[in-house]
Amino acid sequence: MKTVFFLLLRLICYPALAIVGAAGVSLIVISVNGQCPPISEAGVACSTKFSQRQADFGLTVAGFSLDTGIPIVLAVGGLIFLMRDARRFFNRAPS
């Protein structure tokens, strides 16, 4: 039962980590590429549709994370599971 619980928790936390990570990367990209003005709390208007979509995605995830905290908590859980799984994978004895 414990194994099933942690498997389900991993199935929830890993995608949350991926989504929060992708949103962070998209916010970094739009701040570096120079097609968007600096981000304010009201939003941002970019010069291309692709940059605008990236900014909207990043700001939506960031706003939802700051309002509810759920994606951040799940992403931290995913990061913990990732570190534990990586440690377990690399500490295996070679066969």
Side-chain angles (χ1 to χ4, degrees):
M1 192 70 175
K2 181 177 164 184
T3 306
V4 173
F5 173 72
F6 283 114
L7 178 65
L8 290 174
L9 202 55
R10 278 182 175 88
L11 288 174
I12 294 170
C13 290
Y14 280 147
L17 177 62
I19 290 171
V20 170
V25 168
S26 71
L27 287 177
I28 290 170
V29 166
I30 64 161
S31 66
V32 170
N33 71 3
Q35 294 181 354
C36 300
I39 298 171
S40 67
E41 64 251 0
V44 65
C46 299
S47 59
T48 63
K49 287 183 179 182
F50 181 70
S51 294
Q52 184 65 41
R53 287 184 187 140
Q54 272 189 327
D56 289 341
F57 171 69
L59 289 175
T60 301
V61 172
F64 186 70
S65 296
L66 291 175
D67 285 343
T68 63
I70 293 170
I72 293 292
V73 170
L74 291 176
V76 168
L79 193 59
I80 291 169
F81 281 133
L82 182 67
M83 292 300 155
R84 290 181 69 193
D85 291 342
R87 187 181 68 200
R88 187 179 305 145
F89 178 76
F90 289 118
N91 285 337
R92 260 190 227 168
S95 48

Coordinates of all heavy atoms in Angstrom, one line a residue:
M1 N 0.8 -1.2 0.0 CA 0.0 0.0 0.0 C 0.9 1.3 0.0 O 0.5 2.2 -0.7 CB -0.9 0.0 1.2 CG -2.0 1.0 1.2 SD -3.1 0.5 -0.1 CE -4.3 1.7 0.1
K2 N 1.9 1.2 0.8 CA 2.9 2.3 0.8 C 3.5 2.6 -0.5 O 3.7 3.7 -0.9 CB 3.9 2.1 1.9 CG 4.9 3.1 2.1 CD 5.8 2.7 3.3 CE 7.1 3.6 3.3 NZ 8.0 3.1 4.3
T3 N 3.9 1.5 -1.2 CA 4.5 1.6 -2.5 C 3.6 2.3 -3.5 O 4.0 3.1 -4.3 CB 5.0 0.2 -3.0 OG1 5.8 -0.4 -2.0 CG2 5.7 0.3 -4.3
V4 N 2.3 1.9 -3.5 CA 1.3 2.4 -4.4 C 1.1 3.9 -4.2 O 1.0 4.7 -5.1 CB 0.0 1.6 -4.3 CG1 -1.1 2.3 -5.1 CG2 0.2 0.2 -4.8
F5 N 1.1 4.3 -2.9 CA 0.9 5.7 -2.5 C 2.0 6.5 -3.1 O 1.8 7.6 -3.7 CB 0.8 5.8 -1.0 CG 0.7 7.2 -0.5 CD1 -0.4 8.0 -0.8 CD2 1.8 7.8 0.1 CE1 -0.4 9.4 -0.3 CE2 1.8 9.1 0.5 CZ 0.7 9.9 0.3
F6 N 3.3 6.1 -2.9 CA 4.4 6.9 -3.3 C 4.5 6.9 -4.9 O 4.9 7.8 -5.5 CB 5.7 6.4 -2.7 CG 5.8 6.9 -1.3 CD1 5.8 6.0 -0.2 CD2 6.0 8.2 -1.0 CE1 6.0 6.4 1.1 CE2 6.1 8.7 0.3 CZ 6.1 7.8 1.3
L7 N 4.0 5.8 -5.5 CA 4.0 5.8 -7.0 C 3.0 6.8 -7.5 O 3.3 7.6 -8.4 CB 3.6 4.4 -7.5 CG 3.5 4.3 -9.0 CD1 4.9 4.5 -9.7 CD2 3.0 2.9 -9.4
L8 N 1.8 6.8 -6.9 CA 0.8 7.8 -7.3 C 1.3 9.3 -7.0 O 1.1 10.2 -7.8 CB -0.5 7.6 -6.6 CG -1.3 6.3 -7.0 CD1 -2.5 6.1 -6.1 CD2 -1.7 6.5 -8.5
L9 N 2.0 9.4 -5.9 CA 2.5 10.7 -5.5 C 3.6 11.2 -6.5 O 3.6 12.3 -7.0 CB 3.1 10.7 -4.1 CG 3.2 12.0 -3.4 CD1 1.9 12.7 -3.3 CD2 3.8 11.8 -2.0
R10 N 4.4 10.2 -7.0 CA 5.4 10.5 -8.0 C 4.7 10.9 -9.3 O 5.1 11.8 -10.1 CB 6.3 9.3 -8.3 CG 7.4 9.2 -7.3 CD 8.3 8.1 -7.6 NE 9.5 8.0 -6.7 CZ 9.5 7.4 -5.6 NH1 8.4 6.8 -5.1 NH2 10.6 7.4 -4.8
L11 N 3.6 10.2 -9.7 CA 2.9 10.5 -10.9 C 2.2 11.9 -10.9 O 1.9 12.4 -11.9 CB 1.8 9.4 -11.2 CG 2.3 8.1 -11.6 CD1 1.2 7.1 -11.6 CD2 3.0 8.1 -12.9
I12 N 2.0 12.4 -9.7 CA 1.5 13.8 -9.6 C 2.6 14.8 -9.5 O 2.5 15.9 -10.1 CB 0.6 13.9 -8.4 CG1 -0.7 13.0 -8.5 CG2 0.1 15.3 -8.1 CD1 -1.5 12.8 -7.3
C13 N 3.6 14.5 -8.8 CA 4.7 15.5 -8.5 C 5.6 15.7 -9.7 O 6.1 16.8 -10.0 CB 5.5 15.1 -7.3 SG 4.6 15.2 -5.8
Y14 N 6.0 14.7 -10.5 CA 6.9 14.8 -11.6 C 6.3 15.7 -12.7 O 7.0 16.6 -13.2 CB 7.3 13.5 -12.2 CG 8.4 12.8 -11.4 CD1 8.4 11.4 -11.3 CD2 9.4 13.5 -10.7 CE1 9.4 10.7 -10.6 CE2 10.4 12.8 -10.0 CZ 10.4 11.4 -10.0 OH 11.4 10.8 -9.3
P15 N 5.0 15.6 -13.1 CA 4.5 16.5 -14.1 C 4.4 18.0 -13.5 O 4.6 18.9 -14.3 CB 3.1 16.0 -14.4 CG 3.2 14.5 -14.1 CD 4.1 14.4 -12.9
A16 N 4.1 18.1 -12.2 CA 4.1 19.4 -11.7 C 5.5 20.1 -11.7 O 5.6 21.3 -12.0 CB 3.6 19.4 -10.2
L17 N 6.5 19.3 -11.4 CA 7.9 19.8 -11.5 C 8.2 20.2 -13.0 O 8.8 21.2 -13.2 CB 8.9 18.7 -11.1 CG 10.4 19.0 -11.1 CD1 10.7 20.2 -10.3 CD2 11.2 17.8 -10.7
A18 N 7.8 19.4 -13.9 CA 8.0 19.7 -15.3 C 7.3 21.0 -15.8 O 7.9 21.8 -16.5 CB 7.6 18.5 -16.2
I19 N 6.1 21.2 -15.3 CA 5.3 22.4 -15.7 C 5.9 23.6 -15.1 O 6.1 24.6 -15.8 CB 3.8 22.2 -15.3 CG1 3.2 21.1 -16.2 CG2 3.1 23.5 -15.4 CD1 1.8 20.7 -15.8
V20 N 6.2 23.6 -13.8 CA 6.8 24.7 -13.1 C 8.2 25.0 -13.7 O 8.6 26.2 -13.9 CB 6.9 24.5 -11.6 CG1 7.7 25.6 -10.9 CG2 5.5 24.5 -11.0
G21 N 9.0 24.0 -14.0 CA 10.3 24.2 -14.7 C 10.1 24.8 -16.1 O 10.9 25.7 -16.4
A22 N 9.2 24.3 -16.9 CA 8.9 24.9 -18.2 C 8.5 26.3 -18.1 O 8.9 27.2 -18.9 CB 7.9 24.0 -18.9
A23 N 7.7 26.6 -17.1 CA 7.2 28.0 -17.0 C 8.4 28.9 -16.6 O 8.5 30.0 -17.1 CB 6.1 28.1 -15.9
G24 N 9.2 28.4 -15.7 CA 10.4 29.2 -15.3 C 11.4 29.4 -16.5 O 11.9 30.5 -16.7
V25 N 11.6 28.4 -17.3 CA 12.4 28.5 -18.5 C 11.8 29.5 -19.5 O 12.5 30.3 -20.1 CB 12.7 27.2 -19.1 CG1 13.3 27.3 -20.5 CG2 13.6 26.3 -18.2
S26 N 10.5 29.4 -19.7 CA 9.9 30.4 -20.6 C 10.0 31.8 -20.1 O 10.2 32.7 -20.9 CB 8.4 30.0 -20.9 OG 7.6 30.3 -19.7
L27 N 9.9 32.0 -18.8 CA 10.0 33.4 -18.3 C 11.5 33.9 -18.5 O 11.7 35.1 -18.8 CB 9.6 33.5 -16.9 CG 8.1 33.4 -16.6 CD1 7.8 33.4 -15.1 CD2 7.4 34.6 -17.3
I28 N 12.4 33.0 -18.3 CA 13.8 33.4 -18.5 C 14.1 33.7 -20.0 O 14.7 34.7 -20.3 CB 14.8 32.2 -18.0 CG1 14.7 32.2 -16.5 CG2 16.2 32.4 -18.5 CD1 15.4 30.9 -15.9
V29 N 13.5 32.9 -20.9 CA 13.7 33.1 -22.3 C 13.1 34.4 -22.8 O 13.7 35.2 -23.5 CB 13.1 31.9 -23.2 CG1 13.0 32.2 -24.6 CG2 14.0 30.7 -23.0
I30 N 11.9 34.7 -22.3 CA 11.3 36.0 -22.8 C 12.0 37.2 -22.2 O 12.0 38.3 -22.8 CB 9.8 36.1 -22.5 CG1 9.5 36.1 -21.0 CG2 9.0 35.0 -23.2 CD1 8.2 36.6 -20.6
S31 N 12.6 37.0 -21.0 CA 13.4 38.2 -20.5 C 14.7 38.3 -21.2 O 15.2 39.5 -21.2 CB 13.6 38.0 -19.0 OG 14.4 36.9 -18.7
V32 N 15.3 37.3 -21.8 CA 16.6 37.4 -22.4 C 16.4 37.7 -23.9 O 17.3 38.4 -24.4 CB 17.3 36.0 -22.3 CG1 18.6 36.0 -23.1 CG2 17.7 35.8 -20.8
N33 N 15.4 37.3 -24.6 CA 15.3 37.5 -26.0 C 15.1 38.9 -26.5 O 15.3 39.2 -27.7 CB 14.3 36.5 -26.7 CG 12.9 36.8 -26.4 OD1 12.6 37.8 -25.8 ND2 12.0 36.0 -26.9
G34 N 14.6 39.8 -25.6 CA 14.5 41.2 -26.0 C 13.3 41.5 -26.7 O 13.1 42.6 -27.2
Q35 N 12.3 40.6 -27.0 CA 11.1 40.9 -27.7 C 10.0 41.3 -26.8 O 8.9 41.7 -27.3 CB 10.7 39.7 -28.5 CG 11.6 39.3 -29.6 CD 11.2 38.1 -30.4 OE1 10.2 37.5 -30.1 NE2 11.9 37.8 -31.5
C36 N 10.2 41.3 -25.5 CA 9.2 41.7 -24.5 C 9.7 42.7 -23.6 O 10.9 42.7 -23.3 CB 8.7 40.5 -23.7 SG 8.0 39.1 -24.6
P37 N 8.9 43.7 -23.2 CA 9.4 44.7 -22.2 C 9.5 44.0 -20.8 O 9.1 42.9 -20.7 CB 8.3 45.7 -22.2 CG 7.1 45.0 -22.7 CD 7.6 44.0 -23.6
P38 N 10.1 44.7 -19.9 CA 10.2 44.1 -18.5 C 8.8 43.7 -18.0 O 7.8 44.4 -18.3 CB 10.8 45.2 -17.7 CG 11.6 46.0 -18.7 CD 10.8 46.0 -20.0
I39 N 8.8 42.6 -17.3 CA 7.5 42.1 -16.8 C 7.0 43.0 -15.6 O 7.8 43.2 -14.7 CB 7.6 40.7 -16.3 CG1 8.0 39.8 -17.5 CG2 6.4 40.1 -15.7 CD1 8.4 38.4 -17.2
S40 N 5.8 43.4 -15.6 CA 5.2 44.1 -14.5 C 4.1 43.2 -13.9 O 3.8 42.1 -14.4 CB 4.6 45.4 -14.9 OG 3.5 45.2 -15.8
E41 N 3.5 43.6 -12.8 CA 2.4 42.8 -12.2 C 1.2 42.8 -13.1 O 0.3 41.9 -12.9 CB 2.1 43.3 -10.8 CG 1.6 44.6 -10.7 CD 2.5 45.6 -10.1 OE1 3.7 45.3 -9.8 OE2 2.1 46.8 -10.0
A42 N 1.0 43.8 -14.0 CA -0.2 43.8 -14.8 C -0.1 42.8 -16.0 O -1.1 42.4 -16.5 CB -0.4 45.2 -15.3
G43 N 1.1 42.5 -16.4 CA 1.2 41.6 -17.5 C 2.3 42.1 -18.5 O 3.1 43.0 -18.1
V44 N 2.4 41.6 -19.7 CA 3.4 42.0 -20.6 C 2.8 41.9 -22.0 O 2.0 41.0 -22.3 CB 4.7 41.1 -20.4 CG1 4.4 39.7 -20.8 CG2 5.8 41.6 -21.2
A45 N 3.2 42.7 -22.9 CA 2.8 42.7 -24.3 C 4.1 42.6 -25.2 O 4.9 43.4 -25.2 CB 2.1 44.0 -24.7
C46 N 4.2 41.4 -25.8 CA 5.4 41.1 -26.6 C 5.2 41.5 -28.1 O 4.1 41.6 -28.5 CB 5.7 39.7 -26.5 SG 6.1 39.2 -24.8
S47 N 6.3 41.5 -28.8 CA 6.2 41.9 -30.2 C 5.8 40.7 -31.1 O 5.3 40.9 -32.2 CB 7.5 42.4 -30.7 OG 8.6 41.5 -30.5
T48 N 6.0 39.5 -30.8 CA 5.6 38.3 -31.6 C 4.6 37.4 -30.9 O 4.6 37.5 -29.6 CB 6.9 37.5 -32.0 OG1 7.4 36.9 -30.8 CG2 7.9 38.3 -32.7
K49 N 3.9 36.7 -31.6 CA 2.9 35.8 -31.0 C 3.5 34.7 -30.2 O 3.0 34.4 -29.1 CB 2.0 35.2 -32.1 CG 1.0 36.2 -32.7 CD 0.1 35.4 -33.7 CE -0.9 36.4 -34.3 NZ -1.8 35.7 -35.2
F50 N 4.6 34.2 -30.7 CA 5.3 33.1 -29.9 C 5.8 33.6 -28.6 O 5.6 32.9 -27.6 CB 6.4 32.5 -30.8 CG 7.1 31.4 -30.1 CD1 6.5 30.2 -29.9 CD2 8.4 31.6 -29.6 CE1 7.2 29.1 -29.3 CE2 9.1 30.5 -28.9 CZ 8.4 29.3 -28.8
S51 N 6.4 34.7 -28.6 CA 6.9 35.3 -27.3 C 5.7 35.7 -26.4 O 5.8 35.5 -25.2 CB 7.7 36.5 -27.6 OG 8.9 36.2 -28.3
Q52 N 4.6 36.1 -27.0 CA 3.5 36.4 -26.2 C 2.9 35.2 -25.5 O 2.5 35.2 -24.4 CB 2.4 37.1 -27.0 CG 1.2 37.6 -26.2 CD 1.5 38.7 -25.2 OE1 2.3 39.6 -25.5 NE2 0.9 38.5 -24.0
R53 N 2.8 34.1 -26.3 CA 2.3 32.8 -25.7 C 3.2 32.3 -24.6 O 2.8 31.8 -23.6 CB 2.2 31.8 -26.8 CG 1.0 32.1 -27.7 CD 0.8 31.0 -28.7 NE -0.2 31.3 -29.7 CZ -0.1 31.1 -30.9 NH1 0.9 30.4 -31.4 NH2 -1.1 31.5 -31.7
Q54 N 4.5 32.4 -24.8 CA 5.5 32.0 -23.8 C 5.3 32.9 -22.5 O 5.3 32.3 -21.4 CB 6.9 32.2 -24.3 CG 7.5 31.0 -25.0 CD 9.0 31.2 -25.2 OE1 9.4 32.3 -25.4 NE2 9.7 30.1 -25.2
A55 N 5.2 34.2 -22.7 CA 5.0 35.0 -21.5 C 3.7 34.7 -20.8 O 3.6 34.7 -19.6 CB 5.0 36.5 -22.0
D56 N 2.6 34.5 -21.6 CA 1.3 34.2 -21.0 C 1.4 32.9 -20.2 O 0.8 32.8 -19.1 CB 0.2 34.1 -22.1 CG -0.1 35.4 -22.7 OD1 0.2 36.5 -22.0 OD2 -0.7 35.5 -23.7
F57 N 2.0 31.9 -20.8 CA 2.1 30.6 -20.1 C 2.9 30.8 -18.8 O 2.5 30.3 -17.7 CB 2.8 29.6 -21.0 CG 3.2 28.3 -20.3 CD1 2.2 27.4 -19.8 CD2 4.5 28.0 -20.1 CE1 2.6 26.2 -19.2 CE2 4.9 26.8 -19.4 CZ 3.9 25.9 -19.0
G58 N 4.1 31.4 -18.9 CA 4.9 31.6 -17.7 C 4.2 32.4 -16.6 O 4.3 32.1 -15.4
L59 N 3.6 33.5 -17.0 CA 2.9 34.3 -16.0 C 1.7 33.6 -15.4 O 1.3 33.8 -14.2 CB 2.5 35.7 -16.6 CG 3.7 36.6 -16.9 CD1 3.2 37.8 -17.6 CD2 4.4 36.9 -15.6
T60 N 1.0 32.8 -16.2 CA -0.2 32.1 -15.7 C 0.2 31.1 -14.6 O -0.4 31.0 -13.6 CB -0.9 31.4 -16.8 OG1 -1.3 32.3 -17.8 CG2 -2.1 30.6 -16.3
V61 N 1.3 30.3 -14.9 CA 1.8 29.3 -13.9 C 2.3 30.0 -12.7 O 2.1 29.6 -11.6 CB 2.8 28.4 -14.6 CG1 3.4 27.5 -13.5 CG2 2.2 27.5 -15.7
A62 N 3.1 31.1 -12.9 CA 3.6 31.9 -11.8 C 2.5 32.5 -10.9 O 2.6 32.4 -9.7 CB 4.6 32.9 -12.3
G63 N 1.5 33.0 -11.6 CA 0.4 33.6 -10.8 C -0.4 32.6 -10.1 O -0.7 32.8 -8.9
F64 N -0.7 31.5 -10.7 CA -1.4 30.4 -10.0 C -0.6 29.8 -8.9 O -1.1 29.5 -7.8 CB -1.8 29.3 -11.0 CG -2.6 28.2 -10.4 CD1 -3.9 28.5 -10.1 CD2 -2.1 27.0 -10.2 CE1 -4.8 27.5 -9.6 CE2 -2.9 26.0 -9.7 CZ -4.3 26.2 -9.3
S65 N 0.7 29.7 -9.1 CA 1.6 29.2 -8.0 C 1.7 30.2 -6.8 O 1.7 29.8 -5.7 CB 3.0 29.0 -8.5 OG 3.1 28.0 -9.5
L66 N 1.7 31.5 -7.1 CA 1.7 32.4 -6.0 C 0.4 32.6 -5.3 O 0.3 32.8 -4.1 CB 2.2 33.8 -6.5 CG 3.7 33.9 -7.0 CD1 3.9 35.2 -7.6 CD2 4.6 33.6 -5.8
D67 N -0.7 32.4 -6.0 CA -2.0 32.5 -5.4 C -2.3 31.3 -4.5 O -2.8 31.4 -3.4 CB -3.1 32.6 -6.5 CG -3.1 34.0 -7.1 OD1 -2.5 34.9 -6.5 OD2 -3.7 34.2 -8.2
T68 N -2.1 30.1 -5.1 CA -2.5 28.9 -4.3 C -1.4 28.2 -3.7 O -1.6 27.5 -2.6 CB -3.3 27.9 -5.3 OG1 -2.4 27.5 -6.3 CG2 -4.5 28.5 -5.9
G69 N -0.2 28.2 -4.3 CA 0.9 27.5 -3.7 C 1.0 26.0 -4.1 O 2.0 25.3 -3.8
I70 N -0.1 25.5 -4.7 CA -0.1 24.1 -5.0 C 0.9 23.6 -6.0 O 1.7 22.6 -5.7 CB -1.5 23.7 -5.5 CG1 -2.6 23.8 -4.4 CG2 -1.6 22.2 -6.0 CD1 -4.0 23.7 -4.8
P71 N 1.1 24.3 -7.1 CA 2.2 23.8 -8.0 C 3.6 23.9 -7.4 O 4.4 23.0 -7.7 CB 2.1 24.8 -9.2 CG 0.7 25.3 -9.2 CD 0.4 25.4 -7.7
I72 N 3.9 24.9 -6.6 CA 5.2 25.0 -6.0 C 5.4 23.8 -5.0 O 6.5 23.2 -5.0 CB 5.4 26.3 -5.3 CG1 5.4 27.4 -6.3 CG2 6.6 26.3 -4.5 CD1 6.6 27.5 -7.2
V73 N 4.4 23.5 -4.2 CA 4.6 22.4 -3.3 C 4.7 21.1 -4.0 O 5.6 20.3 -3.6 CB 3.3 22.4 -2.3 CG1 3.3 21.1 -1.5 CG2 3.3 23.6 -1.5
L74 N 3.9 20.9 -5.0 CA 4.1 19.6 -5.8 C 5.4 19.6 -6.5 O 6.0 18.5 -6.6 CB 2.9 19.5 -6.8 CG 1.5 19.2 -6.1 CD1 0.5 19.2 -7.2 CD2 1.5 18.0 -5.3
A75 N 5.9 20.7 -7.0 CA 7.2 20.7 -7.7 C 8.3 20.4 -6.7 O 9.3 19.7 -7.1 CB 7.4 22.0 -8.4
V76 N 8.2 21.0 -5.5 CA 9.3 20.7 -4.5 C 9.2 19.2 -4.2 O 10.3 18.5 -4.0 CB 9.1 21.5 -3.3 CG1 9.9 21.1 -2.1 CG2 9.4 23.0 -3.6
G77 N 8.0 18.6 -4.1 CA 7.9 17.2 -3.8 C 8.5 16.4 -5.0 O 9.2 15.4 -4.8
G78 N 8.3 16.8 -6.2 CA 8.9 16.2 -7.4 C 10.4 16.3 -7.4 O 11.1 15.3 -7.8
L79 N 10.9 17.4 -6.9 CA 12.3 17.6 -6.8 C 12.9 16.6 -5.8 O 14.0 16.0 -6.0 CB 12.7 19.0 -6.5 CG 14.1 19.5 -6.7 CD1 14.6 19.3 -8.1 CD2 14.2 20.9 -6.2
I80 N 12.3 16.5 -4.7 CA 12.7 15.5 -3.6 C 12.7 14.1 -4.2 O 13.6 13.4 -4.0 CB 11.9 15.7 -2.4 CG1 12.1 17.0 -1.7 CG2 12.1 14.5 -1.4 CD1 11.2 17.4 -0.6
F81 N 11.6 13.7 -4.8 CA 11.5 12.4 -5.4 C 12.6 12.2 -6.5 O 13.2 11.1 -6.5 CB 10.2 12.1 -6.0 CG 9.1 11.8 -5.0 CD1 7.9 12.4 -5.0 CD2 9.3 10.8 -4.0 CE1 6.9 12.1 -4.1 CE2 8.4 10.5 -3.1 CZ 7.1 11.1 -3.1
L82 N 12.9 13.2 -7.3 CA 13.9 13.1 -8.3 C 15.3 12.9 -7.7 O 16.0 12.0 -8.1 CB 13.9 14.4 -9.2 CG 14.9 14.4 -10.3 CD1 14.5 13.3 -11.4 CD2 14.9 15.8 -10.9
M83 N 15.6 13.6 -6.6 CA 16.9 13.4 -6.0 C 17.0 12.0 -5.3 O 18.0 11.4 -5.4 CB 17.1 14.5 -4.9 CG 17.3 15.9 -5.4 SD 18.7 16.0 -6.5 CE 18.2 17.3 -7.5
R84 N 15.9 11.6 -4.7 CA 15.9 10.3 -4.0 C 16.1 9.2 -5.1 O 16.8 8.2 -4.9 CB 14.7 10.0 -3.2 CG 14.6 10.9 -2.0 CD 13.4 10.6 -1.2 NE 13.5 9.3 -0.6 CZ 12.5 8.6 -0.1 NH1 11.3 9.2 0.0 NH2 12.6 7.4 0.4
D85 N 15.3 9.3 -6.2 CA 15.4 8.3 -7.3 C 16.8 8.3 -7.9 O 17.3 7.2 -8.3 CB 14.3 8.5 -8.3 CG 12.9 8.2 -7.7 OD1 12.8 7.5 -6.7 OD2 11.9 8.7 -8.3
A86 N 17.4 9.5 -8.1 CA 18.7 9.6 -8.7 C 19.7 9.0 -7.8 O 20.6 8.3 -8.3 CB 19.0 11.0 -9.1
R87 N 19.6 9.3 -6.5 CA 20.6 8.7 -5.6 C 20.5 7.2 -5.6 O 21.5 6.4 -5.5 CB 20.3 9.2 -4.2 CG 21.4 8.8 -3.2 CD 21.1 9.4 -1.8 NE 19.9 8.7 -1.3 CZ 19.2 9.2 -0.3 NH1 19.5 10.3 0.2 NH2 18.1 8.5 0.1
R88 N 19.2 6.7 -5.6 CA 19.0 5.2 -5.6 C 19.5 4.6 -6.9 O 20.1 3.5 -6.9 CB 17.5 4.9 -5.5 CG 17.2 3.4 -5.3 CD 15.8 3.2 -5.1 NE 15.2 4.0 -4.0 CZ 14.0 4.5 -4.0 NH1 13.2 4.3 -5.1 NH2 13.5 5.2 -3.0
F89 N 19.4 5.3 -8.0 CA 19.8 4.8 -9.3 C 21.4 4.7 -9.4 O 21.9 3.7 -9.8 CB 19.3 5.6 -10.4 CG 19.8 5.2 -11.8 CD1 19.2 4.1 -12.4 CD2 20.8 5.9 -12.5 CE1 19.7 3.7 -13.7 CE2 21.2 5.5 -13.7 CZ 20.6 4.4 -14.3
F90 N 22.0 5.8 -8.9 CA 23.5 5.8 -9.0 C 24.2 5.0 -7.9 O 25.4 4.8 -8.0 CB 24.0 7.3 -9.0 CG 23.6 8.0 -10.3 CD1 22.8 9.1 -10.3 CD2 24.1 7.5 -11.5 CE1 22.5 9.7 -11.5 CE2 23.8 8.2 -12.7 CZ 23.0 9.3 -12.7
N91 N 23.5 4.7 -6.8 CA 24.1 3.9 -5.8 C 23.9 2.4 -5.9 O 24.4 1.7 -5.1 CB 23.6 4.4 -4.4 CG 24.2 5.7 -4.0 OD1 25.3 6.1 -4.4 ND2 23.5 6.3 -3.1
R92 N 23.3 2.0 -7.0 CA 23.1 0.6 -7.3 C 24.5 -0.1 -7.5 O 25.3 0.5 -8.2 CB 22.3 0.4 -8.5 CG 20.9 0.1 -8.2 CD 20.1 -0.4 -9.4 NE 18.9 0.4 -9.4 CZ 18.1 0.5 -10.4 NH1 18.4 -0.1 -11.6 NH2 17.0 1.1 -10.3
A93 N 24.6 -1.3 -7.1 CA 25.8 -2.0 -7.3 C 25.8 -2.5 -8.8 O 24.8 -2.9 -9.3 CB 25.9 -3.2 -6.4
P94 N 27.0 -2.3 -9.5 CA 27.0 -2.8 -10.9 C 26.8 -4.3 -10.9 O 27.4 -5.1 -10.1 CB 28.4 -2.4 -11.4 CG 29.2 -2.0 -10.2 CD 28.2 -1.8 -9.1
S95 N 26.1 -4.8 -11.9 CA 25.8 -6.2 -12.0 C 26.6 -6.9 -13.1 O 27.3 -6.4 -13.8 CB 24.4 -6.5 -12.2 OG 23.9 -5.7 -13.3

